[in-house]
């Protein structure tokens, strides 16, 4: 059997008819950049998240960048974030000349530890970026409280958590600015790159929108230096067609996740402590990734590959240990939970179309490896 990490073809097959013909018609307009399709999609997502402003941008990475630009973050500023995340979170901070201040994670959820946030705040802290890793919200109540107490804005990296909720509210709508990604493998994925920023602050929403188009408003009058952070019309058009399915896709992810839990339990792999399963402790988990902890992780991954099962390691090196951040002076062992997670975590196949037989096969093979 062959089990892919993410089966985008299966998902596309199910909605193909709703997309192909309309896209062909859409092409007749030859309208490629921003415009009505982008505006319509922005309004739909604003409604879905219950936010005042949703601004389509070129990628999740650019969403983070433009959010920090809108807050005026630059040289001399510090931004507190998790060391255990995709590079883009910290890259956005560094690209603006600011300093990422990395903090450790909570071992149960892989999300940033609020105690680390609090103790890392200085007079130079200009933002906190919690990452809702693997599709589960960070402890936003505590993080927002710390932000409010110190007068520091919270920018959410909701790239992996589209549709996840915390105390009944959508991820991306909780902080001053929320950022998400429509990279094809995310919970809501386009046919290429795309992203979005969210805010309930009208003035900030206006600034984000102006920054998206080189700071130009009216056209060719530049009060600000922005960039080309525009979302393609065709991506917005496709994403509009996919958005109505997001709820059922998230349900399917959650169903697949509980099947894994049951299968691992039945196989006796959890009870003996060999496999540590992901835990849902903070709002609704959307399982953009299903990440387990295991001993001899790299050997297991190699074994599974030979048996036809694709896996991935998110992330093999915590950001404070990355070469490009070496001048920040973090020592090995300084953020131990993240360093341990980098050695133990393995993402198993996960997507809405994942079949029960495939999951049985994956768990059976993992059992074989440890028997
Ligand atoms: C995917 C991702 C991003 C970046 O999104 P792109 O659209 O790929 O630029 C940022 N942060 C996290 C946590 C991500 O998973």
């Amino acid at each position: 059997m062959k089990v892919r990490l993410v089966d985008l073809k299966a998902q596309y097959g199910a909605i193909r008819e709703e997309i192909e013909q309309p896209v062909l018609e859409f092409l007749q307009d030859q309208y490629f950049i921003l415009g009505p399709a982008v505006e319509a999609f922005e309004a739909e997502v604003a409604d879905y998240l219950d936010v005042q402003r949703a601004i389509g941008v070129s990628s999740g990475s650019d969403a983070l960048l433009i959010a920090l630009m809108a807050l005026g973050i630059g040289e001399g500023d510090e931004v507190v974030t998790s060391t255990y995340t995709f590079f883009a979170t910290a890259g956005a901070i560094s690209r603006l000349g600011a300093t990422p201040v990395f903090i450790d994670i909570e071992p149960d959820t892989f999300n940033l530890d609020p105690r680390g946030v609090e103790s890392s705040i200085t007079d130079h802290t200009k933002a906190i970026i919690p990452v809702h890793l693997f599709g589960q919200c960070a402890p936003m109540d505590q993080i927002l409280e710390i932000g409010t107490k110190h007068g520091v804005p919270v920018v959410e990296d909701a790239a992996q958590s589209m549709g996840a909720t915390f105390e009944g509210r959508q991820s991306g709508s909780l902080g001053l600015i929320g950022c998400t990604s429509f990279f094809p493998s995310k919970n809501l994925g386009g046919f290429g790159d795309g992203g979005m920023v969210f805010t309930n602050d009208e003035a900030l929403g206006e600034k984000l929108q102006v920054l998206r188009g080189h700071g130009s408003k009216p056209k060719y009058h530049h009060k600000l230096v922005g960039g080309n952070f525009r979302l393609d019309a065709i991506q917005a058009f496709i994403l509009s067609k996919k958005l109505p399915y997001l709820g059922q896709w998230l349900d399917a992810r959650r169903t697949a996740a509980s099947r894994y839990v049951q299968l691992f339990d039945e196989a006796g792999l959890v009870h003996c402590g060999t496999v540590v399963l992901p835990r849902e402790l903070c709002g609704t988990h959307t399982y953009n990734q299903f990440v387990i902890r295991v001993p001899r992780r790299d050997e297991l991954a190699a074994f599974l590959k030979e048996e036809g099962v694709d896996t991935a390691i998110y992330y093999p090196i915590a950001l404070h240990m990355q070469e490009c951040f070496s001048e920040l002076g973090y020592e090995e062992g300084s953020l131990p939970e993240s360093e341990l997670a980098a050695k133990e975590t393995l993402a198993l196949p996960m997507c809405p179309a994942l079949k029960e037989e495939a999951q049985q096969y994956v768990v059976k093979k993992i059992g074989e490896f440890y028997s």
Side-chain angles (χ1 to χ4, degrees):
M1 194 186 275
K2 176 94 194 123
V3 191
R4 283 177 217 291
L5 190 66
V6 179
D7 190 349
L8 290 176
K9 284 185 188 167
Q11 192 189 55
Y12 182 51
I15 56 163
R16 189 181 196 132
E17 281 173 16
E18 267 165 80
I19 294 199
E20 273 182 4
Q21 194 55 38
V23 164
L24 288 175
E25 282 163 29
F26 184 78
L27 290 177
Q28 304 300 316
D29 290 344
Q30 292 289 292
Y31 202 127
F32 298 120
I33 311 286
L34 297 177
V38 171
E39 283 163 27
F41 179 56
E42 287 172 341
E44 288 155 15
V45 182
D47 188 52
Y48 185 91
L49 259 68
D50 194 17
V51 288
Q52 292 299 316
R53 299 290 295 261
I55 296 131
V57 295
S58 30
S59 68
S61 304
D62 285 343
L64 289 158
L65 188 66
I66 202 173
L68 299 183
M69 287 171 79
L71 295 175
I73 285 165
E75 218 149 309
D77 296 336
E78 293 173 0
V79 178
V80 176
T81 194
S82 173
T83 188
Y84 197 64
T85 171
F86 180 56
F87 184 79
T89 321
I93 302 166
S94 281
R95 285 172 66 185
L96 294 173
T99 306
V101 176
F102 292 119
I103 61 168
D104 214 351
I105 54 167
E106 295 185 309
D108 280 343
T109 60
F110 307 105
N111 274 325
L112 87 185
D113 184 343
R115 287 167 303 180
V117 176
E118 176 101 64
S119 61
S120 301
I121 302 239
T122 70
D123 291 345
H124 301 287
T125 310
K126 289 290 148 54
I128 303 164
I129 311 184
V131 183
H132 306 314
L133 205 71
F134 305 146
Q136 173 171 226
C137 281
M140 287 302 289
D141 46 352
Q142 295 174 64
I143 293 163
L144 288 168
E145 197 180 305
I146 295 165
T148 305
K149 183 171 151 195
H150 296 276
V152 177
V154 173
V155 175
E156 298 172 77
D157 182 342
Q160 298 179 2
S161 67
M162 188 68 181
T165 58
F166 181 83
E167 292 174 354
R169 290 167 64 200
Q170 289 285 330
S171 75
S173 75
L174 301 152
L176 181 59
I177 305 179
C179 305
T180 201
S181 163
F182 303 121
F183 184 80
S185 66
K186 309 284 180 174
N187 287 348
L188 180 63
F191 290 6
D193 279 311
M196 200 167 262
V197 282
F198 311 106
T199 187
N200 283 312
D201 181 311
E202 276 298 336
L204 207 48
E206 183 63 22
K207 192 169 180 189
L208 286 161
Q209 193 168 356
V210 172
L211 284 168
R212 172 178 70 181
H214 284 296
S216 162
K217 192 177 186 186
K219 205 170 185 185
Y220 302 128
H221 295 252
H222 302 263
K223 279 200 213 69
L224 301 165
V225 178
N228 172 2
F229 300 122
R230 299 176 303 234
L231 178 63
D232 285 345
I234 194 160
Q235 295 304 337
F237 184 79
I238 289 163
L239 286 161
S240 276
K241 299 272 176 242
K242 293 183 82 175
L243 180 61
Y245 289 93
L246 180 59
Q248 76 189 57
W249 288 333
L250 296 182
D251 289 345
R253 285 180 182 278
R254 290 174 58 78
T255 302
S258 27
R259 270 199 312 250
Y260 267 136
V261 172
Q262 196 188 339
L263 289 166
F264 276 114
D265 204 31
E266 284 166 7
L269 287 162
V270 182
H271 191 65
C272 66
T274 308
V275 171
V276 179
L277 296 174
R279 299 185 64 192
E280 182 174 21
L281 295 173
C282 211
T284 54
H285 201 319
T286 58
Y287 297 100
N288 188 243
Q289 290 98 323
F290 188 90
V291 175
I292 60 172
R293 284 180 188 258
V294 286
R296 293 160 55 213
R297 188 262 322 266
D298 294 343
E299 278 172 69
L300 173 64
F303 170 80
L304 289 173
K305 192 170 172 56
E306 266 178 33
E307 299 291 334
V309 177
D310 291 343
T311 59
I313 296 167
Y314 307 109
Y315 298 90
I317 306 173
L319 295 182
H320 69 286
M321 287 287 101
Q322 293 289 350
E323 191 178 339
C324 64
F325 294 132
S326 59
E327 77 268 26
L328 297 176
Y330 289 91
E331 307 260 329
E332 198 171 339
S334 58
L335 301 173
E337 289 299 349
S338 302
E339 290 168 39
L340 188 63
K343 292 191 181 82
E344 291 185 343
T345 51
L346 189 66
L348 301 182
M350 171 53 83
C351 63
L354 187 61
K355 293 244 172 19
E356 183 163 2
E357 307 85 80
Q359 293 184 275
Q360 283 165 347
Y361 180 77
V362 171
V363 175
K364 189 177 100 191
K365 289 294 159 190
I366 294 174
E368 273 175 36
F369 178 79
Y370 288 111
S371 68

